[in-house]
Amino acid sequence: MNPSYWQLAGGETVYPALDRAAASGVTIIGGGLAGLTAAYCLASSGCEVTLLEAGRIAGGTSGRNTGKLTVQHDAVYSEIEKRYGPGAAREYLKVNERAAAFVKRCAERASSEPLLSEQPSYLYAESAKGSAKLQREYEVCRALGMDVKLHTSIPFPIPAVSALELRAQYQYDPYRYCVALAALAVKSGARIYEQTRVVKVKTGTVHRLTAENGAVVETGMLLFCSHYPFYHRGGRMVPRLKQERSYLIAGEYHKDYPGGMFINLERPVRSFRLHEADGKRILLVGGSGHRTGETDLAAYDELTGFAGRAFGLEAAPWRWSAQDCMTFDSVPFVGRWPGKRNILFATGFNKWGNTGATAAGMMLSDLVLRGKGPGLRLMSPGRVGDLAAAGFYQNAGTMTKDYIKGELTFPQSAFPKEPDTASVVTIRGKRCGCYRDPSGKLFAVELRCPHLGCILAFNPLQHSWDCPCHGSRFSADGRRIQGPAVRDLKRVRIEAGEDAK
C-alpha cells in the first residue's frame, strides 16, 4: 500500500509494541483520529488509558486523506433535516464545529508553528439537478446560521453551474496533527503501543484482549476506534456499513491558485486543494471512488488527466489511496455496542473523518466520563433511521451477491505466467489466490477472508486481495492491510514442479 504524501513527509512514529501483560481502566483499539482524540480527552481528565494500534499511528485513513478540516460535508445538512428534522441537522453541525475547535486548540498547544491554515470550503454542482440540490442545502445551512454564500461559478476551467461557499474553515497536514495529538495524549498520561494487533476479545465485566504476539490486556472499558469494528457480536452492524476506496494524487504546483478547498456534488468525485509547507506548494486531487472489492484500473489516470486539464499540473509523483466506512443515512455510529454497556465504538465517518472522527473521540470520552453528551442520541448505534434508507437494502443485496459470486467462481487452471499478474487456482483441493511479482516470484494464499469467510478478489491497481463483502484487504503475499479481519491470510506452499488443478 503506497504511503501518502503526509506519511512520507512526516516519517514514522516510535511507540513500542506491547510485549507483556497489562491492565488498564480504559483501553482504546485504534490509533487514528477517533482513538487519539478519545485517549487525549480521557487521559487529561485523569483516566488510566491504554491505546493499542495494529500498525503505526495514523497509518490508515487518518493519515491518508486530503486534510480538509471543514463542517461542510457534501449536502449533509439537507439530507439529515429531511430524514431526522431540523434539530438533528443543528446537532450534527454543533458536534462538528466543536470538533474543529478542538483540533485548532490542540494544534496550537502542540506546536509553536501553525499547523492549520484558514480557507473557505466549496461544494459545487455541475448539473441542473445538482444545482437544485445545492440550492436546498444553501437554504438549510442559512437556517442553521452558517456563513454560506451561493455562487454561479468557480475560478477554474470546470463546468460548474453553482457553488456553495462556507467561510472560515481550515486545512492541515492530518498525519502531522495525529503525531502531535499522540504526543499530547502521552504527556497527559496515556500509554500508546504500536505494532500491537489485537486478534481476540473476550468480553465480560473485565474484558481480556489478546494481541497477535500473545500480550494480554485486561480492561474495564473498551473503545473500538479501529475504523471498521472487527468486533461483530450478533452481526448487527455488518449490513449497516460499507467500505469504499478512493484515490489521491499530489504534485508540486507552480501556477496561481486562488485559494479554497473544493469538492463536487456529483460523481465521479473530484476533490482538490493546495497545501503549502516547507517552501513547497503541493496540489492534491482526490476522488474516483468505488466499493472496496471492485477495481478501477483508470483511477489514477483519470485524476491525473483532470488535474492536467483543470490546473495544468505537469506531474503527480505521489499517488495513494484511502478507505472509508460509509453509513446509509449520512450519520456516523458513535456510542455503546448494542447490549454492552462497557463496550463503546465509533465508525462510519462517510469520508469526513477530520471533523467526524474527532467529534466521535470527544463523544466517546463524554460517554465514559459523564454518560451523556452532545450528538450521542443522533449518532446512537441503536437508531433505526438508516434501515429505511434505500442504500441499506442495496448493500445487503450486494454483500449477498458478492458472497455467492465468490463461492461460484470457477478457479483457473494455471498459475499466472506474466510478471505482475494474478489468478485464482486450486492447490491440493484449496481455492487459492496466486500472484507473480515483477521479479517472477510466485505467492499463493488461501482466498477465504478470515473475517466472515467471503472469497477475495484481486485488485491489480493496489496489488492486493480485497474482500467485496466487508472491505478487508491483504497484500499479495497475504499480510493484512486493513480490517475488519484481524489475521493474515494463510500462505500456501507451492512445491517444485507442482501444477494448479
Side-chain angles (χ1 to χ4, degrees):
M1 185 165 66
N2 294 342
S4 70
Y5 166 79
W6 316 116
Q7 292 163 337
L8 286 170
E12 288 192 340
T13 47
V14 290
Y15 296 102
L18 181 65
D19 59 0
R20 55 180 174 76
S24 183
V26 180
T27 299
I28 300 167
I29 299 177
L33 278 164
L36 292 170
T37 300
Y40 174 58
C41 290
L42 290 167
S44 60
S45 296
C47 293
E48 181 186 38
V49 178
T50 299
L51 185 148
L52 307 176
E53 163 55 40
R56 293 289 187 186
I57 293 299
T61 304
S62 292
R64 305 178 68 81
N65 61 67
T66 56
K68 296 179 179 180
L69 185 71
T70 175
V71 300
Q72 185 183 63
H73 300 170
D74 294 324
V76 70
Y77 296 101
S78 53
E79 292 177 17
I80 292 176
E81 187 205 43
K82 182 178 180 180
R83 187 175 298 278
Y84 295 118
R90 189 174 302 278
E91 188 171 20
Y92 184 91
L93 174 62
K94 179 181 178 181
V95 297
N96 280 280
E97 286 182 332
R98 179 189 179 210
F102 174 88
V103 173
K104 190 171 184 292
R105 289 196 306 272
C106 289
E108 292 170 349
R109 192 171 300 158
S111 175
S112 58
E113 299 180 1
L115 297 182
L116 274 63
S117 170
E118 184 174 326
Q119 292 286 335
S121 178
Y122 293 86
L123 175 65
Y124 67 93
E126 300 169 279
S127 67
K129 183 178 180 180
S131 188
K133 187 175 182 180
L134 206 59
Q135 175 68 35
R136 178 57 186 156
E137 181 74 1
Y138 168 71
E139 293 167 358
V140 173
C141 290
R142 280 287 302 273
L144 293 173
M146 299 170 69
D147 187 10
V148 290
K149 184 177 180 180
L150 206 57
H151 301 274
T152 57
S153 64
I154 59 175
F156 302 100
I158 296 170
V161 296
S162 62
L164 182 61
E165 176 189 5
L166 177 62
R167 300 179 180 90
Q169 303 302 289
Y170 294 91
Q171 62 185 30
Y172 71 152
D173 178 334
Y175 181 81
R176 187 179 175 192
Y177 170 76
C178 284
V179 171
L181 183 59
L184 286 176
V186 169
K187 188 176 180 180
S188 298
R191 299 188 294 268
I192 293 179
Y193 297 98
E194 296 182 308
Q195 305 295 349
T196 305
R197 185 193 302 176
V198 177
V199 296
K200 184 177 180 181
V201 176
K202 184 176 181 180
T203 63
T205 304
V206 175
H207 307 302
R208 183 180 175 88
L209 316 179
T210 304
E212 189 175 39
N213 66 355
V216 173
V217 178
E218 293 188 340
T219 187
M221 182 67 73
L222 176 58
L223 276 60
F224 281 97
C225 298
S226 54
H227 190 66
Y228 188 120
F230 64 84
Y231 178 82
H232 50 80
R233 184 180 180 91
R236 301 182 188 183
M237 302 307 300
V238 169
R240 300 174 72 181
L241 293 165
K242 71 171 181 176
Q243 297 212 60
E244 288 190 0
R245 294 206 66 71
S246 55
Y247 301 87
L248 296 98
I249 63 170
E252 288 197 47
Y253 194 61
H254 306 289
K255 299 183 180 182
D256 290 337
Y257 186 91
M261 307 175 290
F262 294 79
I263 189 169
N264 64 332
L265 193 61
E266 296 93 351
R267 287 183 177 267
V269 173
R270 295 292 180 257
S271 173
F272 52 90
R273 63 114 167 164
L274 189 73
H275 176 73
E276 298 186 61
D278 303 322
K280 294 182 179 180
R281 303 169 76 245
I282 307 296
L283 182 69
L284 295 101
V285 179
S288 294
H290 58 79
R291 185 187 181 94
T292 302
E294 299 173 354
T295 300
D296 182 359
L297 290 173
Y300 289 129
D301 291 337
E302 289 171 356
L303 292 176
T304 302
F306 171 80
R309 293 188 303 271
F311 312 105
L313 184 67
E314 297 175 356
W318 296 285
R319 299 183 174 196
W320 70 98
S321 61
Q323 187 152 303
D324 293 275
C325 286
M326 313 294 288
T327 65
F328 302 107
D329 60 356
S330 301
V331 178
F333 290 115
V334 184
R336 290 189 172 90
W337 193 270
K340 297 286 185 178
R341 290 194 59 82
N342 59 348
I343 297 179
L344 314 182
F345 76 106
T347 188
F349 306 125
N350 300 301
K351 301 182 186 280
W352 296 105
N354 287 307
T355 49
T358 300
M362 299 174 75
M363 292 162 64
L364 293 179
S365 175
D366 289 339
L367 199 51
V368 172
L369 296 171
R370 291 175 284 278
K372 60 181 181 179
L376 286 166
R377 182 175 180 180
L378 171 65
M379 300 186 187
S380 169
R383 71 179 187 271
V384 296
D386 65 305
L387 304 183
F392 170 81
Y393 299 99
Q394 182 181 359
N395 182 57
T398 300
M399 285 194 297
T400 302
K401 181 188 71 175
D402 287 337
Y403 183 86
I404 295 173
K405 179 181 177 182
E407 292 295 327
L408 297 179
T409 298
F410 189 76
Q412 300 170 26
S413 59
F415 295 129
K417 296 180 180 179
E418 298 298 322
D420 196 23
T421 59
S423 63
V424 178
V425 302
T426 299
I427 302 176
R428 297 186 291 279
K430 295 181 179 179
R431 189 190 317 234
C432 299
C434 293
Y435 171 72
R436 190 175 297 277
D437 72 10
S439 70
K441 186 177 181 180
L442 190 63
F443 298 93
V445 295
E446 290 191 16
L447 213 52
R448 195 171 293 278
C449 181
H451 175 229
L452 290 178
C454 292
I455 299 300
L456 305 174
F458 188 68
N459 182 340
L461 198 63
Q462 300 291 305
H463 301 99
S464 61
W465 295 102
D466 298 354
C467 177
C469 298
H470 311 112
S472 296
R473 300 180 61 242
F474 307 86
S475 67
D477 62 356
R479 289 176 291 109
R480 174 194 174 275
I481 297 173
Q482 201 141 19
V486 297
R487 298 186 184 278
D488 297 340
L489 298 178
K490 292 182 179 179
R491 292 279 296 271
V492 177
R493 184 177 178 179
I494 302 174
E495 304 291 346
E498 183 175 16
D499 294 325
K501 299 295 190 291

